[in-house]
Structure formats: structure tokens, C-alpha cells
Amino acid sequence: MRAPVLRLALRPSTRIIPRANTITRQATYASSSSSKSVAQFLDWKPAETVNNVVVNGFVRSVRGLKSYRFVSLGDGSSLAPLQAVVETDQAEGLAVGAAVRLTGSWVSSPGAGQSHELHVKKVDILGPSDAKTFPIQKKYQTPEYLRTMPHLRPRTPLNSVLLRLRSEAIASLTHFFANRSFVQTHPPIITSSDCEGAGEVFTVTPANNSAAEPGKDGPDDFFRSRKYLTVSTQLHLEALAQSVGNVWTLSPVFRAEQSDTSRHLSEFYMLEAEMSFVDGLGPVMDLAEDMLRHLSTDLFKSATVGDLLNRSPHSGSDLLPADEVARRWEGMSEHDWPRITYAEAVKLLQQNADKFEHKPSWGAGLQSEHEKYIAQVVGEGRKPVFVTNYPRDIKAFYMLPTQTPGPDSQGSSEATVDCFDLLVPDLCEIAGGSMREHRLEPLLEVMKRQGIIKSSLDPASENGSGSGLDWYLDLRRWGCPPHGGFGVGFDRLLSYLSGVQTVRDIVSFPRWYGRCDC
Amino acid sequence: MRAPVLRLALRPSTRIIPRANTITRQATYASSSSSKSVAQFLDWKPAETVNNVVVNGFVRSVRGLKSYRFVSLGDGSSLAPLQAVVETDQAEGLAVGAAVRLTGSWVSSPGAGQSHELHVKKVDILGPSDAKTFPIQKKYQTPEYLRTMPHLRPRTPLNSVLLRLRSEAIASLTHFFANRSFVQTHPPIITSSDCEGAGEVFTVTPANNSAAEPGKDGPDDFFRSRKYLTVSTQLHLEALAQSVGNVWTLSPVFRAEQSDTSRHLSEFYMLEAEMSFVDGLGPVMDLAEDMLRHLSTDLFKSATVGDLLNRSPHSGSDLLPADEVARRWEGMSEHDWPRITYAEAVKLLQQNADKFEHKPSWGAGLQSEHEKYIAQVVGEGRKPVFVTNYPRDIKAFYMLPTQTPGPDSQGSSEATVDCFDLLVPDLCEIAGGSMREHRLEPLLEVMKRQGIIKSSLDPASENGSGSGLDWYLDLRRWGCPPHGGFGVGFDRLLSYLSGVQTVRDIVSFPRWYGRCDC
């Protein structure tokens, strides 16, 4: 087959993007076929033409002359497509969206961009497509439009990069924790306690009670009482940490919040870790920092992040410019992230009070504008910043009171707890953690004070019955060492690292108030 | 400190178990402390006494003389405890269950069993315990009793081994798939379709509708229609496989079955994988076999499986004898697992019909006694056995009809599908998979035949509307290549490999009909 003469002028106008090249991809699994992935083809630059090569993929675009078609083929392994040249009489069925197998020769390409191209001898249409009705088009489509079809959206090149990013992040984190003897656990999804959600939880009931005698079983009878989808695995992780010391999980959690923001989903993944026998918040922050730095430095070298950072700019507001995304990776790869107390943060904010709509004051939560300022000034717009020792009254009941108040603590009437929020530029809180109250009596007291246990007059209150948390108190009755941990919103983290502006576009099948497609 | 003279006679009678020693454990994370884990201490055999060492853990037993106490300390890192000698006047608070930090000298031990022991200089009681009320005792406690307190049960030595087994299995599988460029995904937990469960699903509703206007929002209004907990991630995995080719997940799935058996839970983890562009069932079975063999050979060398196989025999019926467990690991590590068709299996069973309560016949599902016979005879009681090409009418709607009937197919009226069940001794089905119907028209037909789509008179039936599966049909409209995959009940697999006789005891917080504690 001869290369067509006018080819260059007719090539798709997409800029061919240089790919990061430090990670060699493995062979695809399909043992029945000797095919390589598109990414492997793009990395393959033999000096001589190689005949009888096979590639599987989806047609992204078809253009051409009278006698030749130029086909862009993608298979999700790389943002850049493979360019194939097909004689027109072979091109029947090569429609946008079709799943095809192309057999041919891998030939050095005289054109700019891609070093080689596939000269196709044989076309197998494995899954036909009607290009006219195929909803995914090569031109820019808004995230709102793509969100209406989550079952097809993964086929866009960007979404395949995001799927690979998630996968590589999971593998990297699994390796990080395994190397440190942290035990990966599967805490329960259906739970008895509605402890943090203040009603913003989902209940779980069997769809069909007809198997039971009519009138006998109510919706809450399958498990004998009302059960919920977990909002956080922390309490159960604490139990498991009393078995094997240091534990972690990457689990789905659920919130029935009726909020419609770019940061909230009804179903999302939380990475949570819990450490036993720790002497204070320091090692817990060390772990969070080490983990995120490991993840960043590990993935920064990957072809997937290369795809994210070398992508062509586009006009949508859904994706941060690539250079700003690169700055996030660099900041998270740096050492010695700043750590300041809440009191120091408030002082800093008060010194710059004219910059804010909300007046900063001790005892109130930090507003988004405050957190952004701290990330910008203390973290120099790059490094994540730990803010520690928040006031007790705005934090969860299980947090350990600060034992040794620092120079900035403002007296015992303004008690703080050993906790941290980790702030990053733009997105603000990306992780939160604390030491846990490991002593029975102080925990009982705070649970009574916050009304989690009804009152000291209630005899059941002595063991926490009625709160659904008697088992959590039990952990403190026998051998509860000092312990602490943290949680990271995994989808939010991936949004931050990819520059995708809303968590709805980082999750394949996002669920939020009013939306649960497929 | 001098070693007490009568010590040997008073040591706990537990057999000291030799530990598999091929995997060196990493340092524990706690950067604030230089402590080693108990497992690391037991592996540490310095020629000279080492002073000022620190170990954290939980007191498993205390025995002693007037002036000395002998403390067994466990921290979940090893089945065998660390032996420590404490002077009686230091021993206050050293009660069974207490969380302690011991500082002292690591000294060569003259006794049998453990090569060294800790001579304690300083005892820190980090979490006290009342040994009299502590529900976990050193003596044998029945699994039924332990199941009543899932929050404390992880503290038993066996349960800490099981937690480590799960963790190491996850890490090994993550590594296996990452090496083969399979993309790990997070398919949704809350789904729209109740496709396989035939009503045995859980519905999800917000606990608190009070935020909405009274009378406006019903329980199904949060997501605008009724939503369910997923029973299998397969359908969504198929959508993701059309993006990045080969995908997998380890996700929680849910069944509202009112069954009370050792094999069923309402919430459990499924490992599911889906491959695109595969030419037939062969590569799908290859993947399942390679994966399980990789897992077995990888973990067989670990200290954790060493703990499982070297444990002392005990009298309960809850745990298989260690030599039978070893045979399971060996069988799964072997190559070339037998593959027979359903038709061949039925023929074999019919030839031995007198051995069975249920008469084997073509078209009926295989009974448990049949599967056990096949695993015993075809798999020689060791190797897992693939049984393929079951009758179409007893399998799921999405399975691809067998394209090239083998010599044993019994004519077109007894059509089969390209599927497999993987059978192991005792437990029977441990995995199941199939090729999927990737063509739109045949899939529509079978969905109508099975009543999943109401009728061809219904105009909505043309695109599957009303079934909740229109999106699944959409996958076939544009570029659906031949694809297939499988699912493995992860908890059941861990039961099989650990010899734990019921999945209720392999899961930390098991949920089944009538039970959902903590």
C-alpha cells in the first residue's frame, strides 16, 4: 500500500500531544490475540516496517480522500489516538463509535506528530455504530450534556484518562499502606448508627417484604431495626485498629444531603486510616502527608498524568488549565507542609479582616474565603496546609481534647481538640483527622453533653444504650490505647489532581440530589 | 533482672507455633516511637541482650509466681504472642485485655519455644481493662458466642490473622491486575436497575424527608424514582470496559435474601472483571485461573498463611483442620485446571446416578451434591474445575449463546450459553462468568422472552424503556465489541482459603437476615 500524497493536508487538525514516557505499559491480557494497546503502538518505533500487526479499538474520527480513509483509533489507553490509513473499498462500517479490529503494517510516517501509522490490510467491524446517532462526538461537548449519559461518557478520551488515574491512585495507595504494614479492611456499608449525619443518611429496607407474612414484617424488620448506609467508616475502623494496630480502607460512603454543589455527591469513596498506640496528632499528620506525597510523586511520572498535563487546552470551564494542574502536583510533592493552629490561623485572618466578607472570630468555623486565604498565604498557593486544634464545640464528639495547650490557646474556657483540617488551594479541605477520645468517662460525658446519650437520669445512658453506640463505648471499656486517624474524600482528591472542576465529572456514575442515572 | 528459677514449669501451656518466615514485615508506622511489632520481635534473634526496647500490644494472659508475672502480649501482627517477664511490683494493671507499652531488654530465653523474651523495666498501661468483665477469653469460645460481639471479636488472635489475610489478598490482586493493565474501577453502589435479584434487593431512601415540603416528597423522590443497592456491578463494568478495555473492581454488593446459611450474607464483597475484545470464553477462564493461582502462590509464602497453617488444632467445628486447608492452597496453586462442559458433567453424573439423591438431568441446575462429586472426581479433590456451556434457560439473560456447539451439545433445541461456573471441593461454586450478548437485536429478543421488557406491542420496548435497562441496551447500539467477564465472591474465597466454615466468621461485621450488629 502506498502512502497517499495529499495526506498531510487532510490529517485531523488535532495537535499530536507528546506523551510522558517513563512507564512502560504491560501487554493487554487477551491471550487469544497478539494485539498491543494504542498506547503501546504509540510508544513503538521500529526502524523497519512490521507487517501483520493487530490493534483493537473504537473509531474516533474518519476523514479522507476518494481512495483512502484516515481513521483515528482510541482504546482508552492513551489520550492521543492511533492513526490508520484504510483503502476506501475496505472502509465500510468504519463509522465513528464502531468497535473494530485492524490488521496491517506498522509503518514509519513521513508526517509530523506521530512517528508511525498503521497501513490497514484487513478491517473487522466487531461492534457496528451509526455515526449519525452516536451521542459522543469529537467536537467539544459540555460536561452538562455528557452528564446526561453516564453510560456513554466514559468513552470520551478525557474520561478514559480519569478512569486510569483512579486506578493508578488505588494501586499506589495500596502499595504505600502495604509497605507500612497497614491492614486494608472492609468495614460495613450497612450500619446501625446514624452518628454524624444528623439525619442526612439513607435508610436500607428490603424491596420486597411479600415473602414474609402480610402485616408481620415492616420495612425495618429485615434487620430487626432501622439500618443506614454508612456516612464514615471511622467508628468501625477504630474497632479493627484494636485488633491489628494500623488499618485503612477505601470504602463507599453515603450522604443524603439535598445540596447541589460541585463538591458534594450522595455516594462517594472515602480513604480512611486509623493508627493505634500513637502518642499525638503529629504521627497522624505525618502519615497523611507522607501518603499524599507518595501518591503525587509516584503518579507524577506516569503516562496517565502525562496525558493530563500534556492535553491540548480547550475552551470549557470544566477543566483547569494544564499548567495550574501541574502546580498542584508539584505542591503536593514538596516536603514540610506548613502546620498552624486554628488560633494562629484566626489571628492571621483577623490581621487581614478587611479582605473578607465574613469577619473571622475564634469559635466560628473557617469560611471558604478564610481557608482559601490560608492556603494562599501559608501554603504559598502550592503546599497543602494543616490547620490544627479547632475549638471543641465545632468538632465531632469523638475528638480528644488538646492535652498540652500551645502558646496560642486562649484559656481553658475556649477548649480545643487534637484535630486537623488539611487545606489545599481552590478546593480547601481535602482531608480531616483527629486523635480520638480513648477514655470511657470523658467520652460518656461529651456524648451526654451533646445529647447523643439522652441524660444521666436515663439508666440506659450509663452504657450508651439507645444511642446505637454502646458498642463504640465498649471499645473504651477494655484496653483502648491512644489512637487517631484521618479521612480523605477520594473523589475530591482526584478532582484536585486532575483539574476536573466538579466531583460529578470525576465519578463515572455520579449520584446527587435528584440524580441517579443507570 | 534475674530470670526466675521455676519459670519453665509455669509457662502458659500453649504450644509455641513455628512461624513461616519468608516475608519480612515492615516497621510499624508510628514515627513517634521506635517500637517493633510483636511479629518483628519474634523474628529478631540478636546474640547479645538488647536494652531499652519498646513493644505495644494487648495483654492476652498473665500468670506468675509471687515475685514475677509472665505476660503474653499480642498486637495482631502474629498468631503467637510475645512472652514478657515483669516484676510483680510493676505488674499493676497488667490485666487481660489491657493495652500496654512495655519497655525492657530483649533477652535470649533458656526455655523451649520462643528464642527470646522481654525482661520488662517499665510498664505503661495505655488502656486499662477489667479482666473479670472482658468478654474475650483465652479459652476456646464458640463462633456463635463471638458473633454476638463483632466489635470485640477482631481482637482474638485468629480474627487478626483473617484481617491480615484479607488485606494481603487485596494487595496481591491489585498488583496482579495493575501488571496486566486492567483498570480498577468504582462502579456505583446505588443503582437504578433491579436486574438479577428478582425482588431480593434493598431499596435506598433518605432517612429524613422533613427538609422537603410536607406531602411533597415521598421516599422515592430524593433520586426521583426508586433506587436499589447493587447486586452485581457487572452491567456497569460493561459500560466502563467500552472505555478502557479491561476493567475490574472489588465492590460491596447486597442481597436481601431471607436465607440463613453458612454461605450467604446480605452484604459482601464481589471481585468482578470484564474484558473487551475477547474472542471467546477461553481467555476469560484463563484470566480467572491465572488470577486465583497468582493469589494462592503469592500468599502461600506469607507469614499470615503460615499462621493459618501452623496454628494449633482446636476442638471447634468452625475451622477446618490445617492439613485440609493446606491442600486447598496447593490445589489452587496447580496449573491446568480441568474444563468440562455442562453436557459432559451431566453425562458423568448420570453414569453415577445411584450416588445421588437428586437425579441428574440435562436442563436442570447442578445440585450441591453434583458439584461436590465433580470437584472430587474431575478436580481430584484439589484442583478447581470449570464447568462450561450451561443450558440457556437456567442462566442470566445477558449471556451469549454458544456459537460453536461442541460434540456434546444436544441439538439446537437444547441451546447453551458461553458461560462457566468454577467449582472447588466442599464449597462448590467460587466463581462464575460468561461471554455477554453484545448484539442489540438478540439481546432485545431474550429480554422480551424473559419478560424483562414487557412486550413487542409496547412502543417503549423497542429501546428497553421501563426495564430500567435502556442504558444497558444503548451500550449495544454503538460499538459494542465481543466481551466477557466473571465474578468471585471475595468473602467466600477467603473462607475457602482460610478454612473458616462460614462467611459470617470471615467478615468483621457480618450482615444477614435478622442480624446487623454495630
Side-chain angles (χ1 to χ4, degrees), chain B residues 44-58:
Chain B
W44 188 32
K45 291 160 188 172
E48 304 286 320
T49 293
V50 180
N51 297 318
N52 287 317
V53 300
V54 178
V55 63
N56 297 315
F58 301 91

Side-chain angles (χ1 to χ4, degrees), chain A residues 93-240:
Chain A
L94 281 175
V96 172
V100 301
R101 174 169 296 163
L102 303 179
T103 308
S105 304
W106 191 233
V107 177
S108 177
S109 162
Q114 196 168 309
S115 76
H116 286 65
E117 62 191 10
L118 188 71
H119 289 189
V120 175
K121 294 273 184 304
K122 181 161 173 276
V123 173
D124 295 301
I125 306 295
L126 302 178
S129 170
D130 179 352
K132 287 197 198 69
T133 60
F134 185 46
I136 305 285
Q137 299 297 328
K138 198 175 163 58
K139 61 169 190 177
Y140 177 72
Q141 294 179 304
T142 67
E144 291 75 18
Y145 172 73
L146 290 171
R147 228 175 272 146
T148 63
M149 40 187 176
H151 57 306
L152 301 175
R153 186 177 63 161
R155 303 190 195 186
T156 65
L158 175 64
N159 274 283
S160 69
V161 177
L162 298 179
L163 282 170
R164 283 186 282 125
L165 177 69
R166 176 179 294 266
S167 178
E168 291 172 18
I170 301 170
S172 176
L173 292 166
T174 302
H175 190 248
F176 172 87
F177 282 114
N179 263 352
R180 282 154 186 80
S181 292
F182 274 67
V183 173
Q184 185 170 3
T185 61
H186 284 152
I189 308 300
I190 303 175
T191 64
S192 292
S193 47
D194 160 24
C195 79
E196 284 195 296
E200 294 192 325
V201 294
F202 290 104
T203 54
V204 174
T205 47
N208 188 353
N209 286 308
S210 64
E213 290 168 41
K216 191 187 158 208
D217 271 18
D220 294 338
D221 287 348
F222 187 91
F223 290 125
R224 295 187 184 159
S225 63
R226 181 152 295 196
K227 300 300 170 192
Y228 310 92
L229 289 180
T230 186
V231 295
S232 156
T233 65
Q234 178 204 315
L235 307 191
H236 294 90
L237 275 188
E238 288 184 54
L240 299 174

